[in-house]
Amino acid sequence: MADVKLIPLEVLLGNPERASAQISPDGKRLSYLAPLDGVLNVFVGDVGAGNERPVTHDAGRGIEGYTWAHDNRHIMYVRDRDGSENYRLYDVDLETGAERDLTPLDGVQCRLIAHRKRFPNDVLLGLNKDNPQLHDVYHLDLTSGALEKVVENPGFLGWVVDDDLKVRGAVTPTEDGGMLILVRDDETSDWRPLVEVPPEDAETTGPLGFTKDGTGMYLQTSIDSNTGRLVKMDIASGAVEVIAEDPNYDITGAIMNPDTREIDGVMVYGDRVEYRIFDESMRADIEALQQLNNGDLGISDRDHDDTTWLVAFDSDSGPVKFYTWNRAAKSATFLFDHRPELNDYPLVPMEPFAFTARDGLTIHGYLTFPADVERTDLPAVLVVHGGPWTRDGWGLDTEAQWLANRGYLCVHVNFRGSSGYGKEFLNAGNREWGAKMHDDLLDAIDHLVAQGIVDRERVAIYGGSYGGYAALVGATFTPDVFKCAISMVGPSNLNTLMESFPEYWKPMLVTWHKRVGEDPDFLWSRSPLSRVDDIAIPILIAQGENDPRVKRAESEQIVAAMQEHGIDHEYAMYENEGHGLTKPENRLDFYHRADRFLAKHLGGRAQ
């Protein structure tokens, strides 16, 4: 490792040079996020001209995502204040440069529900203005900025909009932890049940949209199947047509034609993303694009004529590469790398692996090894994903590259309860926080130690959100396994976590009770704070001051307990941050702390 070039944290984990590229609906202009005075803003220019200029001027936390309006004139984006997640919708007029706050409402969260090609001036928004737990549907006139409530929310968690921009579908939780999908014939009709989703299928079932004529609905569903299939259901009869399914993995994405509303293809995520294309004209494009680069292909954008695409290739050992794709000529034009400086450094591959847990369940994950080392007795960092009902995937993981570059084996584990592997695997995590979900992490380390790859005496555990909880569990439940732990916005007490959820999460509490637990004594038994006396390893804890999901008390109560017991720890509280670190100066401060912390306790390198 001595000869391997040290990658600066700023290059790996600071702001990208360019990201989130899109094309305008007419296919003539290119947009992307890029730093303006160190803050991410939207830049726009003519495709291929290199004349992009900033069109937004945020000087705070930066813009994390945006979308073109179908009028070719406006760009819309949401932004909160200091991590509160009370998002407001803004736009910028590209002709005049005027920027507007379209939802100037304090303490209200805006959600973008629908904006369609056929209705370039119309936007449907969700606002919890009248009831903080529920988002009513509002119509936004993009020209005038006028807002009008069009649907009062009777208790629904989500909405489905048809091709005529009418709200005709909805989702609501049931008392047993299941879900009810409802429909109505038009905006004056009564709601009626379409699908009753049992609790075991609730996380692997949901509506994707209506067919063109509005008589059918596309669903991902695991009802009558282990994995989430893509189906089309006739609304009148309930008849189901299976469009795509896989015996091992859920269908993780669908490509819907914006004009015909037909399904052009789907994605299945095993170790890597696999496309299954049904539209013959698209098949030739996908096959040609996959010859262009060995990374995982993503279609980032398509113009209104569907003649020009913007595509990105995510590779495990290089920056994300963006291209435009001319469908008629079947030719690609390279645009840029999102972090071009990475081309100057020795990145390493991400390797899928699998092992058998102690109860026989097969668990998948990824290993990222340091370059040019013997794969024996390595120090390791077990990185636990958040959610927990999501999964780790293949591709450029800048944290994994950072850890491998410092000399550690980076271990990602899709423990039970992770999504994508079917409902049986996901439901195997029910009520297993701090128990079998944690055992899967321990079994991964045991597996790698048994192979001689990992030095059992030099293993750290690190994660954010649920991963932060897992790190605290590692330090409290199994401190003999780990040398140190790093928790980012990690819950320490499951009772206080659920009691302090934001109002708009309260309707989902029944799901949390089903997945995590409800009895206060049981939840306390699975809480790291209940075993603070057992901590025997140093912990680095990071917290966003304004986190609405995992309140600062979750970190501060375990920090206080460690102070009382004289336990070695480091605590970093970041002002003006929420559930994670958005501002680059805060993000880099945390990673520098973690860099030094791991080098001190595992013996690796640090910047």
Side-chain angles (χ1 to χ4, degrees), residues 3-251:
D3 297 329
V4 175
K5 192 174 182 180
L6 196 71
I7 307 176
L9 293 173
E10 291 74 11
V11 171
L12 276 171
L13 298 157
N15 278 332
E17 183 173 298
R18 284 174 283 196
S20 301
Q22 298 179 29
I23 51 174
S24 58
D26 61 11
K28 296 178 180 179
R29 285 175 290 180
L30 171 70
S31 61
Y32 51 75
L33 295 178
L36 175 65
D37 298 326
V39 178
L40 287 179
N41 276 278
V42 182
F43 285 62
V44 176
D46 300 319
V47 173
N51 61 353
E52 296 86 19
R53 60 180 178 82
V55 298
T56 64
H57 301 86
D58 183 61
R61 288 161 49 80
I63 294 172
E64 298 178 68
Y66 70 96
T67 186
W68 280 85
H70 288 293
D71 63 4
N72 268 299
R73 178 169 174 168
H74 294 89
I75 281 179
M76 300 183 289
Y77 57 97
V78 294
R79 191 173 65 201
D80 70 353
R81 182 176 296 169
D82 299 334
S84 67
E85 298 187 15
N86 287 324
Y87 295 105
R88 294 185 181 185
L89 180 69
Y90 298 80
D91 77 345
V92 56
D93 186 326
L94 299 181
E95 293 186 14
T96 67
E99 297 182 57
R100 296 183 294 182
D101 180 352
L102 295 164
T103 58
L105 304 165
D106 290 333
V108 173
Q109 186 190 69
C110 174
R111 297 176 178 175
L112 184 61
I113 295 175
H115 179 53
R116 297 278 166 75
K117 174 179 172 180
R118 287 177 53 213
F119 303 92
N121 191 52
D122 302 289
V123 185
L124 295 184
L125 306 175
L127 296 171
N128 60 341
K129 175 175 175 286
D130 296 331
N131 182 340
Q133 292 192 8
L134 302 172
H135 289 71
D136 300 319
V137 182
Y138 284 74
H139 172 268
L140 168 69
D141 183 306
L142 204 52
T143 300
S144 68
L147 272 175
E148 177 190 2
K149 186 194 289 189
V150 292
V151 182
E152 183 91 22
N153 192 335
F156 299 157
L157 284 181
W159 305 98
V160 192
V161 178
D162 70 10
D163 194 51
D164 293 322
L165 211 64
K166 305 300 183 186
V167 181
R168 291 189 45 233
V171 177
T172 189
T174 54
E175 292 182 357
D176 62 355
M179 185 172 62
L180 193 61
I181 300 173
L182 305 104
V183 293
R184 59 181 179 177
D185 296 325
D186 55 52
E187 291 186 310
T188 62
S189 303
D190 292 333
W191 293 99
R192 67 179 187 275
L194 178 67
V195 183
E196 293 186 22
V197 183
E200 62 269 21
D201 294 287
E203 261 61 54
T204 40
T205 298
L208 300 182
F210 287 95
T211 57
K212 177 74 173 178
D213 62 8
T215 64
M217 180 182 280
Y218 297 111
L219 304 164
Q220 184 201 39
T221 178
S222 59
I223 297 175
D224 299 325
S225 170
N226 175 42
T227 55
R229 308 181 292 180
L230 179 65
V231 307
K232 181 167 66 175
M233 176 176 284
D234 183 87
I235 291 173
S237 69
V240 171
E241 172 194 348
V242 177
I243 298 173
E245 62 182 327
D246 186 272
N248 301 309
Y249 305 104
D250 300 327
I251 302 298

Side-chain angles (χ1 to χ4, degrees), residues 281-409:
S281 65
M282 179 178 277
R283 187 188 310 278
D285 295 294
I286 298 296
E287 291 176 352
L289 281 164
Q290 289 176 329
Q291 297 300 312
L292 185 65
N293 188 286
N294 61 5
D296 278 355
L297 167 68
I299 304 172
S300 302
D301 212 357
R302 299 157 74 174
D303 69 359
H304 274 177
D305 293 338
D306 208 21
T307 57
T308 303
W309 292 354
L310 195 146
V311 301
F313 290 96
D314 185 10
S315 176
D316 58 345
S317 54
V320 179
K321 296 182 179 294
F322 289 90
Y323 294 79
T324 54
W325 176 252
N326 184 311
R327 296 192 70 194
K330 295 291 185 284
S331 64
T333 301
F334 176 71
L335 295 173
F336 53 79
D337 290 330
H338 88 305
R339 294 180 184 269
E341 284 187 87
L342 291 181
N343 290 312
D344 300 329
Y345 292 94
L347 303 189
V348 291
M350 175 181 273
E351 304 174 20
F353 84 114
F355 62 94
T356 303
R358 63 189 69 180
D359 63 356
L361 200 62
T362 299
I363 309 292
H364 295 269
Y366 300 89
L367 301 174
T368 307
F369 284 90
D372 302 327
V373 297
E374 290 285 334
R375 294 187 172 188
T376 55
D377 291 327
L378 294 172
V381 180
L382 174 62
V383 180
V384 187
H385 68 68
W389 308 294
T390 179
R391 60 161 287 177
D392 285 318
W394 184 91
L396 180 67
D397 186 308
T398 51
E399 284 192 337
Q401 295 295 334
W402 155 54
L403 294 169
N405 180 253
R406 286 355 187 211
Y408 316 115
L409 171 65

Side-chain angles (χ1 to χ4, degrees), residues 518-571:
E518 184 173 9
D519 176 73
D521 291 337
F522 174 79
L523 292 173
W524 177 244
S525 75
R526 299 292 175 84
S527 298
L529 192 61
S530 72
R531 300 198 188 184
V532 70
D533 291 350
D534 295 331
I535 299 175
I537 60 174
I539 309 177
L540 168 61
I541 293 179
Q543 177 69 41
E545 178 187 29
N546 302 314
D547 190 338
R549 308 184 194 188
V550 180
K551 298 289 197 298
R552 59 186 295 179
E554 291 301 317
S555 290
E556 292 185 343
Q557 58 194 350
I558 197 163
V559 167
M562 288 189 291
Q563 288 174 334
E564 184 180 338
H565 290 77
I567 296 167
D568 185 16
H569 69 280
E570 183 178 346
Y571 180 45

